[in-house]
Amino acid sequence: HERDTVDKSTVIGEELLFNYAYGHPDSPMLLVPNAPMANFINHGSEEDANVQIRWPSAGSKTARLFDWAYNRQKEDIYDDKFESTNHNAWLKDHPIDVMEKSGKLAFEYVALRDIEEDEEILIDYGDLWDDAWYEFQETHPNARSDFRHAIIVPDGFYPDNWLNVTD
């Protein structure tokens, strides 16, 4: 079947939201978390990071809910006894097919170690983000544009079928 294409030939501008999106340099897919506290998670170096992202574990409540949401029909009502037979189905789909189901996939923030009360939650934004931030800071303030750069997903987070794809 013929697939809709994403027209990337005309870019009008980049929103601040882009700074909170997760992406990969070889993929058109951007993941924008909309959980209540997601935008309070800040950048920490690889050594300072105390959380990371991962896909929901098979059989977990999160996995069941989002597997149901991803595959549901408009009139379906959630049943907490739903058993997924196609865990994290979005990982097998083409990025455009996943984008058409916006808001129906999930990743989790997982602690890398015990986190103390009142400790800031930090995630490693990746080397490409670090390089872009360093270059931004080195630019004279009068020559700077707004900083816009996606958070880079960890190696192996995006499936191969999301990388180096064409529309």
Side-chain angles (χ1 to χ4, degrees), residues 51-139:
V51 298
Q52 68 181 10
I53 56 173
R54 73 172 185 199
W55 296 112
S57 302
S60 71
K61 288 182 180 184
T62 304
R64 287 198 334 260
L65 173 63
F66 281 90
D67 287 348
W68 172 83
Y70 191 75
N71 295 300
R72 80 178 187 95
Q73 301 302 313
K74 188 173 185 178
E75 64 280 351
D76 287 351
I77 298 172
Y78 181 67
D79 176 0
D80 65 357
K81 294 178 180 52
F82 169 81
E83 290 298 325
S84 174
T85 57
N86 197 6
H87 176 65
N88 291 342
W90 53 82
L91 297 176
K92 300 173 191 90
D93 290 344
H94 188 281
I96 290 176
D97 296 328
V98 175
M99 287 186 265
E100 288 173 354
K101 295 195 175 209
S102 178
K104 296 183 179 180
L105 63 151
F107 58 83
E108 302 172 323
Y109 294 94
V110 180
L112 297 171
R113 58 171 174 76
D114 289 343
I115 299 173
E116 302 296 323
E117 186 175 333
D118 295 327
E119 182 179 359
E120 185 174 18
I121 305 299
L122 302 172
I123 194 165
D124 180 9
Y125 286 6
D127 291 341
L128 290 176
W129 188 95
D130 279 339
D131 293 346
W133 180 248
Y134 177 78
E135 183 178 319
F136 174 77
Q137 289 181 309
E138 292 299 308
T139 304

Side-chain angles (χ1 to χ4, degrees), residues 138-165:
E138 292 299 308
T139 304
H140 188 279
N142 294 338
R144 289 182 187 167
S145 58
D146 293 332
F147 181 76
R148 301 288 184 263
H149 202 285
I151 301 166
I152 304 303
V153 295
D155 289 340
F157 189 76
Y158 273 23
D160 288 343
N161 55 304
W162 288 8
L163 304 176
N164 303 306
V165 296

